[in-house]
Amino acid sequence: MATKHPQVGILGGTFDPIHTGHLILAETAYESFSLDYVMLMPNGNPPHKPGQVNASMEQRTRMAELAAAGNPHFLVSDFEKTPQDYHYTFQTLEFLKEKNPDTDYYFILGADSLIHFDTWMEPRRICSCCRILAASRDRMETEELEKRIQDLSKRFGAVIYPLETPNIDISSNMIRERIQQGQSIRYYVPDPVIAYIREQKLYLRNEGFDEELRYESLSEKVKA
């Protein structure tokens, strides 16, 4: 009997901050494709987001660790916590495949990212290292998604599977805005992450407000 290769999902992102939508996406991929575990990988400072990353790499990694705590099939990777600001996706995947040649990697991304996938650095090299799970977060029509999958498969040899997920309209930008406006982020973000945001006083930009009052409403449950 052939030995089953480890099946590992990879969910990358700036995670600024990590939120419930990220976790549900990772859990859905784990369950739908019978993965051994999902690696949550905070990005460094992506070149396509210059000056847009708010929390430090250390802070974003810690928030991911707090969010993943208690889930035995989530693993937080600090691969990009290096002197180099950013690793392109193909570099990360090639490093992982070289280190673990018998592991099958499943790279998780939003179906909307498939639209721009051919603009990524070295898409063919990405596709040679992993299978892609495309989560339809923005209700991309099935026919449109299938057409894009066929196109990328022909052009880059990609192996892409649709990943059906709940349409949870949460973004890190929305959470940062809610914090700045003094609104609750309870249930949008795990409680330990809320506590860490309060402790680190993250995402407050507007001056002239009492920080304690601003953070008061983040969660009725979590106290500073």
Side-chain angles (χ1 to χ4, degrees):
M1 181 180 293
T3 303
K4 179 179 178 293
H5 290 184
Q7 311 288 301
V8 176
I10 299 174
L11 179 61
T14 51
F15 298 145
D16 192 24
I18 195 167
H19 54 68
T20 304
H22 294 130
L23 301 174
I24 291 176
L25 177 56
E27 184 72 14
T28 302
Y30 165 80
E31 186 175 56
S32 299
F33 288 86
S34 301
L35 303 178
D36 291 293
Y37 62 91
V38 176
M39 192 183 305
L40 303 176
M41 186 175 290
N43 297 152
N45 295 304
H48 61 284
K49 292 186 176 181
Q52 296 180 37
V53 180
N54 297 268
S56 69
M57 181 66 182
E58 181 178 357
Q59 290 170 326
R60 291 182 288 110
T61 300
R62 182 56 183 154
M63 285 189 282
E65 290 171 345
L66 291 168
N71 189 327
H73 48 260
F74 283 178
L75 173 69
V76 177
S77 169
D78 62 354
F79 173 76
E80 295 207 4
K81 193 176 181 180
T82 67
Q84 182 175 334
D85 277 350
Y86 183 75
H87 296 84
Y88 286 104
T89 299
F90 80 90
Q91 294 173 320
T92 299
L93 290 170
E94 287 181 347
F95 172 84
L96 291 172
K97 282 298 292 183
E98 183 177 354
K99 187 176 180 182
N100 306 294
D102 293 331
T103 297
D104 294 330
Y105 288 104
Y106 292 74
F107 189 69
I108 306 165
L109 49 71
D112 51 324
S113 295
L114 288 183
I115 301 298
H116 307 290
F117 185 75
D118 52 358
T119 69
W120 291 26
M121 186 70 71
E122 302 288 356
R124 184 174 292 277
R125 290 169 71 173
I126 293 173
C127 296
S128 69
C129 293
C130 68
R131 301 177 175 99
I132 295 174
L133 304 183
S136 184
R137 188 181 75 173
D138 297 320
R139 295 191 177 92
M140 179 182 282
E141 294 293 335
T142 302
E143 185 176 338
E144 182 185 355
L145 177 58
E146 287 296 336
K147 184 177 179 180
R148 187 59 175 161
I149 288 175
Q150 290 175 12
D151 176 57
L152 293 173
S153 298
K154 289 178 182 178
R155 293 175 62 188
F156 303 118
V159 178
I160 306 173
Y161 301 110
L163 176 61
E164 295 184 11
T165 61
N167 192 62
I168 300 175
D169 191 16
I170 303 177
S171 70
S172 297
N173 184 61
M174 173 200 298
I175 291 168
R176 294 194 300 271
E177 288 180 351
R178 291 184 68 86
I179 292 172
Q180 291 163 18
Q181 295 166 9
Q183 297 175 322
S184 172
I185 58 171
R186 190 178 186 187
Y187 306 123
Y188 289 83
V189 175
D191 284 343
V193 178
I194 295 176
Y196 184 80
I197 289 172
R198 294 183 62 162
E199 173 193 319
Q200 297 289 307
K201 300 191 185 308
L202 293 176
Y203 307 124
L204 279 184
R205 287 189 175 183
N206 298 333
E207 298 180 357
F209 291 90
D210 185 303
E211 288 185 347
E212 289 304 319
L213 291 177
R214 182 65 69 82
Y215 281 110
E216 189 74 23
S217 65
L218 293 190
S219 170
E220 298 170 5
K221 183 177 180 181
V222 180
K223 302 298 182 183

